[in-house]
């Protein structure tokens, strides 16, 4: 149902389902038990975006509307980096990067396509510079 159809259903006294943002649950209502936000009343008030024609639609919103993904940049010390040899991460714009070291090139920061490549001599001081660059790319700065 569209929002207009939900509004009409409320006016016709049909049941609707509400997503309770504070309690994070789905609640059934009859038209005389609910008010749309902005109407001055003692009845529970909801915005139209929080009203659904069926319980299934409301539960779908409850479980899927605010899905987020949290990514962390791997944190390594100089000593760990020497043991691990490399780590991978996505930049802010979803480009895949690898920071690694080898005897021939030193410390290398390279995009998966190989077009973006930076190198530093293999020293602790340069590791921190390279890691700063990883943080800059990860944050999109």
């Amino acid at each position: 149902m569209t929002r207009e159809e939900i509004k009409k259903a409320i006016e016709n006294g049909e049941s609707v389902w509400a997503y309770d943002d504070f309690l994070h649950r789905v609640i059934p209502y009859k038209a005389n038990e609910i008010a749309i936000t902005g109407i001055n009343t003692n009845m529970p008030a909801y915005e139209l975006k929080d009203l659904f024609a069926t319980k299934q639609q409301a539960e779908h919103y409850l479980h899927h509307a605010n899905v987020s993904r949290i990514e962390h940049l791997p944190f390594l010390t100089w000593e760990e980096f020497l043991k691990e040899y490399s780590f991978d991460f996505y930049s802010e714009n979803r480009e895949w990067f690898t920071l690694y070291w080898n005897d021939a090139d030193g410390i290398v920061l390279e995009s998966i396509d190989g077009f973006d490549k930076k190198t530093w001599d293999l020293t602790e001081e340069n590791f921190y510079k390279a890691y700063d660059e990883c943080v800059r790319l990860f944050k999109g700065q």
Side-chain angles (χ1 to χ4, degrees):
M1 289 178 93
T2 66
R3 297 295 176 219
E4 286 303 314
E5 290 171 325
I6 291 173
K7 205 172 191 179
K8 192 168 272 203
I10 291 170
E11 291 169 1
N12 292 337
E14 299 172 22
S15 292
V16 294
W17 292 84
Y19 165 66
D20 187 324
D21 194 29
F22 297 108
L23 301 175
H24 301 290
R25 63 182 180 155
V26 171
I27 305 165
Y29 281 103
K30 293 279 187 202
N32 62 352
E33 300 172 334
I34 192 168
I36 297 172
T37 301
I39 299 172
N40 191 4
T41 178
N42 291 331
M43 293 183 278
Y46 288 90
E47 293 181 31
L48 271 178
K49 71 177 181 63
D50 298 324
L51 300 176
F52 302 89
T54 67
K55 182 178 182 181
Q56 183 179 17
Q57 291 171 346
E59 287 179 340
H60 176 68
Y61 181 85
L62 170 68
H63 298 297
H64 302 112
N66 297 309
V67 175
S68 62
R69 183 173 121 183
I70 298 173
E71 295 177 292
H72 296 280
L73 184 66
F75 177 77
L76 292 176
T77 63
W78 166 244
E79 293 80 14
E80 291 169 329
F81 179 65
L82 291 176
K83 289 178 192 172
E84 298 289 328
Y85 294 100
S86 71
F87 71 88
D88 303 316
F89 66 95
Y90 280 109
S91 67
E92 173 69 16
N93 64 357
R94 306 303 297 160
E95 189 175 5
W96 187 255
F97 280 89
T98 300
L99 181 70
Y100 64 93
W101 71 270
N102 62 42
D103 291 330
D105 299 318
I107 299 171
V108 180
L109 175 61
E110 186 172 23
S111 63
I112 193 73
D113 59 17
F115 291 120
D116 194 359
K117 183 176 180 178
K118 296 179 182 177
T119 61
W120 296 265
D121 290 335
L122 186 59
T123 66
E124 183 174 2
E125 182 180 337
N126 285 338
F127 164 73
Y128 293 115
K129 289 177 186 177
Y131 194 86
D132 285 344
E133 182 65 12
C134 293
V135 170
R136 186 188 70 72
L137 288 166
F138 185 79
K139 289 183 169 184
Q141 297 173 340

